């Protein structure tokens, strides 16, 4: 079965992923063969627009869908008037640096020990 993407209420992502989303957000989950394999979305807080992607149960065949969906998410941010989108890099995943780079993000700063990457609309 192919990876299915479903828009959900951010509180659903909190319950599923065990992460806290306490700022305005647009959230999606990925489902494969009835199992939730990850989440992604946009959130607004601290004067910034943030993008997250969590794919702890990812598979190589998700690569094209992940690329398309994250590019669509950036397009949504631009449509909403954002000129920059930030993303924390999850150093637990060695491929996160490559993914952020391919998507046009660049290392912006280290904040509280976390790599913060930024994509500037061109």
């Amino acid at each position: 079965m192919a990876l299915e993407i479903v828009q959900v209420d951010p509180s659903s992502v909190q319950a599923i992923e065990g992460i806290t989303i306490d700022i305005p957000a647009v959230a999606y989950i990925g489902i494969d063969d009835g199992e939730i394999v990850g989440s992604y979305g946009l959130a607004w807080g601290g004067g910034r627009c943030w993008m997250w992607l969590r794919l702890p149960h990812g598979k190589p065949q998700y690569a094209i869908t992940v690329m398309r969906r994250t590019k669509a998410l950036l397009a949504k941010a631009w449509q909403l008037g954002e000129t920059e989108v930030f993303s924390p890099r999850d150093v637990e995943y060695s491929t996160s640096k490559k993914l952020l780079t391919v998507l046009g993000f660049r290392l912006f700063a280290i904040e509280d020990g976390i790599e913060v990457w930024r994509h500037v609309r061109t």
Side-chain angles (χ1 to χ4, degrees):
M1 181 174 218
L3 180 63
E4 178 186 6
I5 305 298
V6 178
Q7 186 171 359
V8 297
D9 185 275
S11 63
S12 299
V13 173
Q14 281 187 204
I16 295 164
E17 297 274 10
I19 58 174
T20 301
I21 302 173
D22 55 4
I23 56 179
V26 176
Y28 301 85
I29 57 171
I31 302 171
D32 187 6
D33 199 24
E35 298 286 325
I36 296 171
V37 296
S39 69
Y40 71 100
L42 289 175
W44 289 266
R48 295 178 177 170
C49 176
W50 295 90
M51 182 177 78
W52 85 88
L53 169 66
R54 286 187 39 90
L55 200 60
H57 307 292
K59 297 178 183 176
Q61 59 264 34
Y62 298 164
I64 291 173
T65 300
V66 167
M67 292 298 293
R68 286 182 182 157
R69 289 301 187 140
T70 50
K71 286 182 179 182
L73 201 58
L74 285 169
K76 181 184 242 354
W78 307 151
Q79 288 172 346
L80 293 171
E82 299 296 340
T83 58
E84 299 176 309
V85 175
F86 295 85
S87 183
R89 177 177 170 236
D90 190 341
V91 296
E92 179 181 343
Y93 300 100
S94 60
T95 56
S96 64
K97 182 176 181 177
K98 181 178 180 179
L99 176 61
L100 286 166
T101 302
V102 168
L103 289 169
F105 283 81
R106 299 293 175 257
L107 180 61
F108 176 71
I110 308 264
E111 297 176 355
D112 297 323
I114 298 170
E115 287 185 18
V116 175
W117 289 60
R118 177 179 71 168
H119 189 299
V120 178
R121 183 177 183 183
T122 53

